[in-house]
Amino acid sequence: MANTSQPVRRTALVASAVALLGLLTACGNENATSSTPRPTKAARTAGSDTGSGSGTATAPAVGAAPSDTAGSASASARTDGRCHTSELRASVGRMDPGAGQRNFPVVLTNTSERTCTVYGYPGAAFVDASGGQLGPDPERTPASPNTVTLAPGKSAWAGLSFSSPQISGARTATPAALLVTPPDEREPLEVKWTAGAVPVGGNASSVSVTALEPGTGP
């Protein structure tokens, strides 16, 4: 009678080896997949936001001029040689009263050694001694601004106007200074305010500012 025990044992050993190899291969594949973390929804969203160019908005400085959207088409041409805050001096001229109004020229003078330009409206804000803003931002008087070229020592001016508080009955405060921000700039220039109380609240408390034009005032 033939001895069949050895072939049977060899067959069993081969089968066991094949099964063990399959188990090890499965374990290896599972470890490779789990070692690569999947991005979470939050991570994917953050990546999309970054790719789209979104970011944290910076709050405008006190007295900063609002963005000029009307002239955005020629913005690059204007800003190449624009006057920066560090190149300008701000001042407030003599009050020009009329019809219950108080009108002041706010003047920007080029103190640099180069010719530069200003365009549009300056930012303005009344502040107290601690730098806190008094009243709302001035409203822009509708106009069609023009680029003003300032050679060294030359000036541009904008009109700052409000109703006389004695007539309007508006709530008032006496500012320590007026912050003036040149167009397209963020750093303001501080001018000591010596013209008394200004309207800061109530229905007749609005203050208006005009676009810049050449000179130092009317």
Side-chain angles (χ1 to χ4, degrees):
M1 181 176 179
N3 185 1
T4 60
S5 60
Q6 288 185 352
V8 171
R9 283 197 297 270
R10 282 197 298 271
T11 301
L13 289 174
V14 172
S16 298
V18 171
L20 179 60
L21 179 60
L23 179 61
L24 291 174
T25 302
C27 291
N29 290 340
E30 182 180 359
N31 289 337
T33 301
S34 63
S35 67
T36 305
R38 296 182 179 179
T40 62
K41 181 178 180 181
R44 291 195 299 271
T45 302
S48 299
D49 289 345
T50 303
S52 64
S54 64
T56 302
T58 302
V62 172
S67 299
D68 175 27
T69 55
S72 59
S74 59
S76 59
R78 295 199 312 271
T79 56
D80 287 344
R82 81 171 188 266
C83 300
H84 299 287
T85 299
S86 60
E87 300 173 306
L88 297 169
R89 179 182 71 249
S91 60
V92 177
R94 179 182 299 179
M95 180 182 67
D96 178 26
Q101 289 286 113
R102 291 187 175 183
N103 308 301
F104 300 87
V106 177
V107 182
L108 293 174
T109 302
N110 182 6
T111 59
S112 73
E113 297 180 354
R114 74 180 183 104
T115 297
C116 58
T117 62
V118 291
Y119 175 92
Y121 299 79
F126 293 112
V127 295
D128 59 22
S130 63
Q133 183 168 340
L134 300 172
D137 292 336
E139 301 174 354
R140 290 180 172 188
T141 300
S144 298
N146 294 307
T147 299
V148 181
T149 301
L150 299 180
K154 295 301 181 179
S155 303
W157 72 282
L160 184 74
S161 302
F162 53 86
S163 297
S164 174
Q166 287 80 5
I167 297 175
S168 67
R171 182 167 57 85
T172 64
T174 301
L178 175 69
L179 299 186
V180 181
T181 307
D184 299 312
E185 293 289 299
R186 294 191 59 80
E187 292 299 321
L189 297 162
E190 182 174 322
V191 183
K192 184 178 180 181
W193 184 257
T194 60
V198 301
V200 295
N203 294 333
S205 62
S206 62
V207 178
S208 63
V209 64
T210 65
L212 288 160
E213 54 185 291
T216 57

